[in-house]
Amino acid sequence: MRNSISRQHMYLIFTSLFLLVFVLIFAFGVLIPEGKEYRIKRIDLKKTSKELREYKNFHNETLDTLKMLKGKNRRIITAFDMIFNPERFEKQNKGYFSKLSVSAIGFSAIEDDFAVYEVNTTSQISSPESFYNFLDSVNKSDWIIGINFPINFKRDGELIMSSFTMKVYANNKDKNSSTSISEAK
């Protein structure tokens, strides 16, 4: 009996079987393990993307808060960077008093972030109203100034003499630049 399948059909069947076996080995040997790894990486990517969105939202909220606070406190920020000039301070506030003197106090225990000045004033008034006007002027000045208590008022006839200390808060740029240089080393 003679084989009824032609040689071409035999080559075609062997080639088809070879390709089928190759596809099955490739699928089970490469595609399925890589597919599991792909699913794991896709889940990790989704988690990372979610964390990134959360951090971006937090960043945007913080940036909006920063911009709002910068806008709201612009005057304070610029006043913090101003350098205190005692002569200019005396010139601006001399109208409230008949005599005004500002002198720096040098304490070694005082922090480097601000300077301490003693202010002595003399006024020819019967009430401390000009002193309150002076305090309003200090609040509207170009510097951040804290008036320390006690404020001493002493009456001498028609004159009211007052003395107090004040702290002028200023950004110490020399200290910050030297600190950042030493931290970089």
Side-chain angles (χ1 to χ4, degrees):
M1 201 180 240
R2 198 163 179 257
N3 205 353
S4 63
I5 301 175
S6 71
R7 188 178 266 178
Q8 290 178 336
H9 287 305
M10 290 298 276
Y11 287 136
L12 187 62
I13 290 173
F14 284 128
T15 307
S16 298
L17 285 176
F18 176 74
L19 288 175
L20 179 66
V21 170
F22 176 76
V23 166
L24 290 175
I25 291 172
F26 182 75
F28 288 109
V30 177
L31 290 180
I32 292 175
E34 291 294 323
K36 289 178 184 177
E37 206 173 306
Y38 169 76
R39 284 190 294 269
I40 292 170
K41 288 182 180 181
R42 187 178 69 194
I43 291 170
D44 287 343
L45 179 64
K46 285 183 180 181
K47 288 179 184 177
T48 306
S49 297
K50 181 182 176 187
E51 288 177 7
L52 178 64
R53 277 193 310 274
E54 290 173 359
Y55 285 128
K56 280 185 178 180
N57 290 338
F58 177 73
H59 173 267
N60 292 338
E61 290 172 7
T62 306
L63 184 63
D64 291 342
T65 305
L66 175 67
K67 286 180 181 178
M68 181 202 56
L69 289 174
K70 275 186 174 180
K72 184 178 178 183
N73 299 313
R74 177 166 301 169
R75 186 178 161 277
I76 295 170
I77 292 170
T78 56
F80 190 67
D81 287 333
M82 293 292 290
I83 297 171
F84 182 70
N85 185 347
E87 292 83 24
R88 183 173 165 222
F89 179 80
E90 285 182 26
K91 187 187 245 185
Q92 283 180 347
N93 297 301
K94 200 161 189 93
Y96 297 105
F97 307 102
S98 58
K99 180 184 165 200
L100 173 69
S101 64
V102 178
S103 57
I105 299 175
F107 290 116
S108 60
I110 301 298
E111 295 179 26
D112 293 336
D113 295 338
F114 55 87
V116 179
Y117 291 90
E118 181 177 14
V119 178
N120 293 310
T121 62
T122 304
S123 305
Q124 289 185 337
I125 56 171
S126 58
S127 71
E129 182 180 350
S130 69
F131 183 76
Y132 296 125
N133 293 336
F134 163 73
L135 290 179
D136 287 336
S137 171
V138 167
N139 283 335
K140 295 174 185 172
S141 69
D142 294 338
W143 306 288
I144 298 176
I145 297 174
I147 306 291
N148 294 336
F149 292 98
I151 299 171
N152 298 316
F153 288 103
K154 187 176 180 183
R155 185 169 192 104
D156 185 23
E158 286 295 316
L159 296 176
I160 295 179
M161 290 178 269
S162 61
S163 69
F164 56 92
T165 58
M166 66 181 191
K167 290 182 183 175
V168 179
Y169 295 89
N171 191 2
N172 192 347
K173 294 176 184 169
D174 295 335
K175 177 185 169 195
N176 290 340
S177 62
S178 64
T179 304
S180 61
I181 292 170
S182 64
E183 288 175 356
K185 291 181 181 179

